[in-house]
Amino acid sequence: VEDLNLYEEYKQKGMQFFNKKDYEKAELYLVQALEIDHEIFIYEKLVECYKLLKKSSLELKLLEKANYEYPFKDEFIYRLHLLHKGFKNYHKAIDYGERYRIYHPEDIHILISLADTYRLNKNKELCLKFINLAEKIQPKHKLIIKLKELIK
């Protein structure tokens, strides 16, 4: 019961600071709340704090943990794809990107991002495959045109 009261206090204070856009202080309280209870809401808000504070390494670490506990949360999967891509962990980025695509097979952003990740990973064949999939949805997208130029 005491832990639950402490959890609610940390969560409430964290959200007060979050809503005031004081993400540094929000982070402190949300981290403490997460130590008591792994509620998905706390993960979401703490991930957002890290993103806004540009703490990508902490965001990645937290998202890996969150994804383990909540593997169905496609927003976590998409963000993991982007972060791994940014850190040049292309195999992991591809893995998370392909997982996200299961939930959203016609999402133009993931198709283009996967095409680019395959390009960065020196896999021209799969890069072209994803460019073609993206073109079927939005043929004149500026990033598709740019990708085609990059792989010539």
Side-chain angles (χ1 to χ4, degrees):
V1 174
E2 191 176 314
D3 275 356
L4 199 56
N5 290 338
L6 215 54
Y7 169 77
E8 287 300 326
E9 182 184 330
Y10 292 146
K11 179 180 173 181
Q12 184 179 13
K13 283 184 179 179
M15 286 312 300
Q16 283 172 350
F17 286 115
F18 186 90
N19 292 332
K20 291 178 185 174
K21 297 182 179 8
D22 187 344
Y23 303 115
E24 292 282 352
K25 286 185 183 167
E27 173 192 357
L28 296 173
Y29 286 104
L30 293 171
V31 165
Q32 291 177 312
L34 194 62
E35 287 175 5
I36 298 169
D37 189 1
H38 296 184
E39 182 185 359
I40 195 166
F41 174 80
I42 300 297
Y43 276 119
E44 291 169 338
K45 291 302 173 189
L46 193 50
V47 161
E48 201 170 336
C49 280
Y50 287 150
K51 182 179 178 183
L52 292 165
L53 293 169
K54 298 184 181 353
K55 295 183 175 183
S56 299
S57 295
L58 288 172
E59 183 185 0
L60 180 63
K61 188 175 176 183
L62 182 66
L63 277 166
E64 292 282 3
K65 185 178 175 187
N67 184 63
Y68 179 78
E69 291 190 44
Y70 300 99
F72 56 84
K73 187 75 174 162
D74 56 343
E75 292 91 350
F76 291 167
I77 296 168
Y78 185 71
R79 190 73 187 137
L80 279 161
H81 161 73
L82 294 176
L83 285 166
H84 278 295
K85 183 180 172 188
F87 281 113
K88 299 181 180 176
N89 302 329
Y90 300 129
H91 291 288
K92 281 189 171 187
I94 288 166
D95 178 47
Y96 284 113
E98 293 283 9
R99 284 194 225 175
Y100 182 81
R101 203 177 76 132
I102 291 168
Y103 295 102
H104 306 280
E106 295 189 359
D107 181 323
I108 190 77
H109 303 290
I110 195 63
L111 295 174
I112 291 170
S113 188
L114 276 166
D116 189 43
T117 309
Y118 279 117
R119 178 189 65 82
L120 292 166
N121 201 41
K122 312 272 189 262
N123 189 329
K124 188 175 179 178
E125 183 182 334
L126 283 172
C127 174
L128 287 168
K129 175 186 167 190
F130 279 94
I131 287 173
N132 290 334
L133 288 171
E135 279 184 314
K136 289 177 184 172
I137 295 164
Q138 204 171 331
K140 305 264 189 250
H141 196 288
K142 65 181 181 208
L143 291 176
I144 295 172
I145 294 163
K146 185 177 178 183
L147 269 173
K148 288 173 107 174
E149 290 171 10
L150 287 172
I151 59 165
K152 283 183 181 176

